[in-house]
Amino acid sequence: AVEDLLARAAPGDRADLEQIGDSARRGAALVRQLLALGRQQTLQPRVLALNDALRALEGLLHRLLGPAITLDWALDEPTRYVLIDPAQLDQVIVNLAVNARDA
């Protein structure tokens, strides 16, 4: 679907299409997490490079926060590694952004 569009997209449209693909994958992960919670299944934590995981959310957060809020990362270098379910981390960061936007 998105991959097909990317193959035919003009260079200026690629960033938006990649963002759509990333958002779709994150949405699918969130649905899996909610289904796991409802069935009392365990999540699937794995070791993540925290900086990379946060940077992957940057485009989504900019769109979510809108132009009135500036997102300024202050990430530790070298990166820290965390053991977490990737969908859980995404959910926490998005929830923080929504709360900041609505405050």
Side-chain angles (χ1 to χ4, degrees):
V2 172
E3 290 79 15
D4 295 335
L5 292 173
L6 280 170
R8 296 176 294 187
D13 296 332
R14 292 188 64 80
D16 288 338
L17 289 170
E18 288 171 355
Q19 182 65 43
I20 290 168
D22 288 343
S23 295
R25 283 186 286 280
R26 290 181 190 289
L30 179 57
V31 168
R32 281 192 303 277
Q33 182 182 1
L34 291 171
L35 290 172
L37 180 64
R39 292 187 302 252
Q40 299 301 312
Q41 292 180 349
T42 58
L43 299 172
Q44 297 179 358
R46 61 180 204 211
V47 176
L48 296 178
L50 189 55
N51 290 358
D52 294 343
L54 294 174
R55 285 186 186 111
L57 281 172
E58 192 169 7
L60 173 65
L61 294 175
H62 280 295
R63 290 175 194 253
L64 182 65
L65 293 171
I69 298 175
T70 302
L71 181 62
D72 186 22
W73 295 112
L75 303 175
D76 284 345
E77 294 294 342
T79 191
R80 302 209 184 257
Y81 292 86
V82 293
L83 178 64
I84 191 168
D85 183 288
Q88 267 189 318
L89 177 63
D90 290 352
Q91 182 180 2
V92 167
I93 300 303
V94 167
N95 286 346
L96 288 171
V98 168
N99 288 334
R101 179 196 67 197
D102 296 342

